[in-house]
Amino acid sequence: MTTTSAVRLEGVTKDFGPAHQRVHAVRGIDLELQQGEIVAFLGPNGAGKTTTIDMVLGLSKPTIGDVSVLGLEPRDAIARGLVSAVMQTGGLLKDLTVRETVRYTASLFADTEDVDTVLEKAGITAIGDRKVGKCSGGEQQRLRFAMALLPDPALLLLDEPTTGMDVEGRRAFWSAIREDAALGRTVLFATHYLEEADQYADRIVLISKGRIVADGTGAQVKAMASGRTVRATLPDAHQDLLHELASLGGVDGVETRGESLIVQAKDSDAVARFLLTRTDARDLEINARGLEEAFLSLTDEGDDA
Amino acid sequence: MTTTTGTIDPAARRVPPFGGVNTTVLRIELRRMLRNRRTIIFTLIFPAALLLSFGGQSGWDDKAGLGNVAAYILVSMSLYGAALTAAAGGSMVALERSLGWSRQLRLTPLNPVAYILMKTLVALVMGALAITAVNVVGAIQGKAEMPTHIWFECAVVTLFCTLTFAALGVFVGYVVPGENAMQILGPGLALLSFLGGVFIPLDQYSDVVRHVAYWTPMYGVAEIARSPLTRELPWYAVVNAVAWFAIFVVGAAWRMSKDTARV
């Protein structure tokens, strides 16, 4: 049996604005997602995440290149209820109740799940008769999630999905997502919770300045930005010393936070040797970089390009 | 990796008929409007109250076309009420867009053109309610007199004239975003109604004011709405009505298209 990719982007670019002040939001992305994958779309603000997601949803068209969703045009996939999204910017009507909002949305699809089932799944049965305007941010987010589940989508796009949810809500949310992915649903989520990407995604696609700078598992992405963090206590570190440190081979960055000195380096041994023999540094620690640092180092590289 | 059991077959999914419009959505939209206290005041209470205060003036039983002056005032007031209601409905399109609800709807099969048609339909139903309210109050008051078929003709023509103000509502809603649109539309429509001869007949104005009035948007539709009763319809009133309708529709479409950057 042949399978269609859940999402396929080929040579996609997107520019905004008039010719003399063109903004290149997406500068050439090739990406293919298999059905059933959970993929994190990671990148700083303005990296092109939302622009790319908009194109997958057919809300905007690429300047150059092709986007297809399950082998269809994005708008066609949406009309068939194959794609759902929980967007940060997706508004809700304050004067409708939670249940009315779900019923309203459900009625727009040709095939849809039962309204009560979906309310139950999103954990908002109890607040079904409450006006949306009276719901908390987290409750509204669950409502958007309920609306997204209605058509039983093959592809679910989530833009910063757990913003406003408490820890418990976040955990429940992700266990629901994982259950559905096991049944073949593809999930693409944009997030700035790096930990969330590492913890819940099968695959992380790192995007910076409109390009993909890394694509792989959490471990692979971390390895790509190999290196360690050296921390030490060093009061009165003066400028000359910092310059000398920065010019050591394999040092990516030097910064001071109060009395602490933090050095990002591929060759942490050289940094440690320098600090312990040439300065008064004490309490020295060496750590492998977390995803957050890996993320920063990869997206900084994008700056120079 | 197994891909056989879980994958969803795109070919098995259907597209909804009528661009997604259905009776459930229409019911919920209407219920929303009727739950809104401000809409109810504008739609049902305010125009009827105006009718009661204007309709009893001296000379109400003088002849006017096929009926009397009270009938003339009745038709004028129902036009005013329906125009206000339709404008309020129109401004909601812009409000929903600024709230991001239209963007949310773009994630469903609902076609954007179908959405506008649906909103128009809801505005027409609300306009019909406004017209009915004024007419019922007028009938109870018992002063207005015209042949029954003229009552109906006037009501139907008035309803279609309100489409102009639905478009105006969309336009103003975009220019003045948020819930402030009605703060402008309310007094604005009242002013236009005075100028257009809805509240006071134009022949009571000075020549200068009257010549200005011929160019204002309420004048044309008011003449048309009353024409089944008055049996008079100057050609420039029709030109006025058509032109303003076109201006408002183009204006609304223009503001809407400027706004599509983020749908």
Side-chain angles (χ1 to χ4, degrees):
Chain A
M1 175 173 169
T2 55
T3 40
T4 326
S5 354
V7 176
R8 184 197 288 271
L9 286 97
E10 284 172 295
V12 169
T13 70
K14 179 72 185 177
D15 301 337
F16 292 108
H20 58 283
Q21 49 185 37
R22 242 159 152 56
V23 176
H24 306 283
V26 172
R27 295 162 182 258
I29 284 189
D30 293 284
L31 182 65
E32 190 166 352
L33 305 188
Q34 300 308 321
Q35 294 194 33
E37 274 190 307
I38 300 187
V39 181
F41 215 31
L42 198 57
N45 285 339
K49 285 176 301 190
T50 306
T51 308
T52 307
I53 287 181
D54 279 1
M55 289 189 283
V56 173
L57 289 170
L59 294 175
S60 66
K61 283 200 179 342
T63 309
I64 305 175
D66 270 318
V67 180
S68 70
V69 176
L70 294 139
L72 301 168
E73 285 274 307
R75 293 305 315 168
D76 197 20
I78 292 219
R80 289 168 198 273
L82 289 163
V83 188
S84 280
V86 181
M87 306 295 278
Q88 276 179 302
T89 47
L92 297 166
L93 296 176
K94 293 191 184 80
D95 57 328
L96 290 185
T97 67
V98 168
R99 183 185 299 276
E100 277 173 337
T101 308
V102 177
R103 276 186 50 217
Y104 189 117
T105 312
S107 74
L108 301 174
F109 291 96
D111 306 286
T112 147
E113 298 255 350
D114 180 55
V115 168
D116 289 321
T117 311
V118 163
L119 287 173
E120 183 74 51
K121 237 187 201 177
I124 46 174
T125 308
I127 57 165
D129 294 324
R130 193 178 294 174
K131 287 269 167 65
V132 171
K134 295 220 157 67
C135 291
S136 71
E139 285 165 344
Q140 293 189 0
Q141 197 63 358
R142 284 166 186 232
L143 170 58
R144 290 197 189 93
F145 182 54
M147 291 156 77
L149 291 181
L150 280 169
D152 185 20
L155 170 67
L156 186 56
L157 295 167
L158 308 163
D159 195 3
E160 308 283 356
T162 57
T163 307
M165 286 190 193
D166 54 19
V167 178
E168 190 46 50
R170 197 169 293 167
R171 192 171 305 141
F173 175 84
W174 281 112
S175 82
I177 292 283
R178 288 220 74 102
E179 258 171 51
D180 288 334
L183 299 173
R185 176 174 299 157
T186 313
V187 180
L188 176 65
F189 68 100
T191 183
H192 62 248
Y193 292 116
L194 306 164
E195 199 193 321
E196 197 165 69
D198 196 19
Q199 210 169 341
Y200 298 106
D202 306 326
R203 177 177 164 195
I204 296 177
V205 174
L206 194 54
I207 176 170
S208 172
K209 308 227 178 284
R211 287 197 184 90
I212 291 175
V213 291
D215 182 352
T217 62
Q220 282 168 337
V221 170
K222 272 190 274 190
M224 283 179 70
S226 63
R228 296 200 170 88
T229 305
V230 181
R231 286 167 200 270
T233 308
L234 180 60
D236 317 318
H238 54 84
Q239 219 50 32
D240 295 346
L241 177 75
L242 298 182
H243 278 303
E244 209 174 327
L245 256 177
S247 61
L248 285 178
V251 172
D252 294 331
V254 179
E255 68 177 301
T256 53
R257 284 183 203 159
E259 299 207 327
S260 300
L261 175 74
I262 298 150
V263 182
Q264 309 287 348
K266 293 192 182 67
D267 187 354
S268 54
D269 293 343
V271 174
R273 193 171 299 123
F274 176 87
L275 286 174
L276 292 173
T277 57
R278 306 273 304 277
T279 72
D280 300 329
R282 56 195 157 78
D283 302 334
L284 188 124
E285 283 173 32
I286 302 178
N287 289 306
R289 278 195 269 200
L291 190 57
E292 182 153 4
E293 283 96 332
F295 172 68
L296 284 174
S297 117
L298 282 169
T299 52
D300 278 350
E301 257 168 57
D303 269 338
D304 306 329
Chain B
M1 192 168 114
T2 57
T3 45
T4 42
T5 46
T7 51
I8 294 163
D9 179 14
R13 296 298 187 91
R14 294 174 299 149
V15 177
F18 311 116
V21 175
N22 62 83
T23 52
T24 305
V25 163
L26 287 172
R27 254 203 322 270
I28 294 177
E29 285 282 357
L30 274 177
R31 200 187 306 154
R32 264 184 84 198
M33 295 292 274
L34 293 174
R35 263 196 318 228
N36 186 326
R37 206 171 301 132
R38 182 141 63 154
T39 311
I40 291 304
I41 291 172
F42 274 134
T43 307
L44 304 179
I45 300 175
F46 190 49
L50 280 180
L51 174 71
L52 290 178
S53 51
F54 277 86
Q57 59 188 281
S58 62
W60 62 267
D61 204 19
D62 292 352
K63 194 169 155 49
L66 300 178
N68 62 3
V69 167
Y72 184 95
I73 294 171
L74 175 91
V75 177
S76 299
M77 288 308 153
S78 66
L79 172 68
Y80 174 67
L84 203 52
T85 307
S91 72
M92 277 180 68
V93 171
L95 180 64
E96 289 180 6
R97 230 171 149 100
S98 73
L99 287 174
W101 176 246
S102 336
R103 190 175 159 83
Q104 185 71 45
L105 290 177
R106 292 278 278 148
L107 306 177
T108 72
L110 184 65
N111 182 299
V113 176
Y115 167 76
I116 294 290
L117 289 179
M118 179 177 87
K119 286 287 175 188
T120 310
L121 195 62
V122 171
L124 277 180
V125 172
M126 293 303 293
L129 275 179
I131 293 168
T132 308
V134 174
N135 277 281
V136 166
V137 170
I140 293 170
Q141 193 190 24
K143 288 179 173 165
E145 258 172 47
M146 54 184 154
T148 315
H149 72 274
I150 299 293
W151 279 62
F152 279 104
E153 268 177 53
C154 285
V156 171
V157 173
T158 303
L159 186 57
F160 283 97
C161 287
T162 60
L163 281 175
T164 299
F165 299 96
L168 173 68
V170 176
F171 184 33
V172 172
Y174 276 114
V175 178
V176 189
E179 293 176 16
N180 295 329
M182 271 324 280
Q183 252 87 311
I184 299 218
L185 284 170
L189 281 180
L191 182 71
L192 290 178
S193 298
F194 270 110
L195 266 177
V198 175
F199 294 152
I200 300 168
L202 283 185
D203 53 22
Q204 298 191 9
Y205 289 130
S206 71
D207 275 356
V208 179
V209 178
R210 195 163 61 240
H211 278 100
V212 173
Y214 289 151
W215 295 89
T216 61
M218 267 288 184
Y219 168 72
V221 285
E223 288 291 324
I224 291 179
R226 289 183 303 233
S227 64
L229 173 68
T230 59
R231 296 284 137 188
E232 279 170 20
L233 186 55
W235 62 269
Y236 43 87
V238 178
V239 172
N240 172 305
V242 173
W244 280 109
F245 179 66
I247 288 170
F248 292 149
V249 168
V250 168
W254 169 59
R255 296 306 304 188
M256 253 171 147
S257 67
K258 290 211 93 171
D259 193 47
T260 47
R262 290 275 309 187
V263 190

